[in-house]
């Protein structure tokens, strides 16, 4: 089974996925536009260049998403994308990259469970948790 986050953006998925690819070291593998969809001739012209479905591959993981097709866009609030790292410096770099232009909710710092943990909302409105696996509380699932 695959379990992948699917994010909705306010018309800026392509910019967000390019940023995530740079910060997280991934690759955008799919960008399907609304103009490619059957019946798109009935859509508002401004939607035709927006992304109907996108995929960003990061290692063996995937984030999917689309641009919102209506006026009712609401940024995600109660769900975070959690990333786990074994390298403190890499995690700190990723946190800085994700939080740039956004909002730091919990600064990246040592906690009782981790040598480094932080929470931010990026400039696209997506909430992130960046965690360094610690020996005492959490471990890297690949070695557990």
């Amino acid at each position: 089974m695959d379990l992948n986050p699917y994010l909705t953006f306010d018309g800026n998925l392509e910019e967000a996925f390019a940023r995530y690819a740079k910060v997280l070291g991934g690759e955008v593998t799919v960008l399907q536009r609304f103009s490619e969809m059957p019946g798109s001739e009935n859509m508002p012209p401004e939607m035709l260049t927006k992304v109907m479905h996108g995929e960003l591959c990061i290692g063996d993981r995937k984030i999917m998403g689309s641009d919102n097709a209506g006026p009712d866009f609401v940024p995600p609030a109660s769900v975070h994308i959690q990333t786990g790292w074994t390298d403190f410096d890499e995690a700190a770099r990723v946190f800085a990259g994700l939080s740039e232009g956004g909002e730091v909710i919990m600064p990246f710092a040592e906690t009782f469970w981790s040598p480094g943990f932080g929470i931010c909302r990026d400039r696209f409105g997506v909430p992130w948790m960046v965690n360094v696996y610690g020996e005492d509380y959490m471990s890297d699932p690949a070695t557990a």
Side-chain angles (χ1 to χ4, degrees):
M1 175 184 91
D2 284 340
L3 183 62
N4 303 304
Y6 199 98
L7 305 172
T8 304
F9 292 86
D10 193 20
N12 54 0
L13 176 139
E14 189 168 7
E15 179 187 358
F17 273 25
R19 177 75 180 159
Y20 301 158
K22 179 180 178 183
V23 170
L24 299 168
E27 178 184 4
V28 178
T29 57
V30 176
L31 282 178
Q32 296 173 320
R33 310 248 177 230
F34 282 100
S35 62
E36 301 171 45
M37 184 174 80
S40 63
E41 63 276 359
N42 299 321
M43 295 189 80
E46 65 274 8
M47 281 305 299
L48 297 176
T49 58
K50 302 299 180 191
V51 178
M52 178 188 70
H53 177 74
E55 294 184 11
L56 170 67
C57 291
I58 307 160
D60 63 349
R61 304 290 187 216
K62 191 181 294 186
I63 297 175
M64 299 178 187
S66 67
D67 285 322
N68 188 48
D72 58 344
F73 174 76
V74 177
S78 63
V79 175
H80 293 67
I81 306 294
Q82 195 280 147
T83 65
W85 304 87
T86 56
D87 182 288
F88 179 90
D89 292 336
E90 182 68 2
R93 182 194 66 75
V94 166
F95 185 80
L98 290 171
S99 61
E100 183 181 320
E103 172 189 8
V104 173
I105 296 165
M106 180 178 175
F108 188 78
E110 183 176 356
T111 67
F112 70 90
W113 72 83
S114 171
F117 177 81
I119 302 173
C120 67
R121 181 176 307 277
D122 69 25
R123 66 182 182 216
F124 308 104
V126 176
W128 293 85
M129 293 177 168
V130 177
N131 186 65
V132 178
Y133 294 117
E135 293 179 20
D136 296 335
Y137 186 77
M138 291 184 77
S139 62
D140 179 352
T143 61

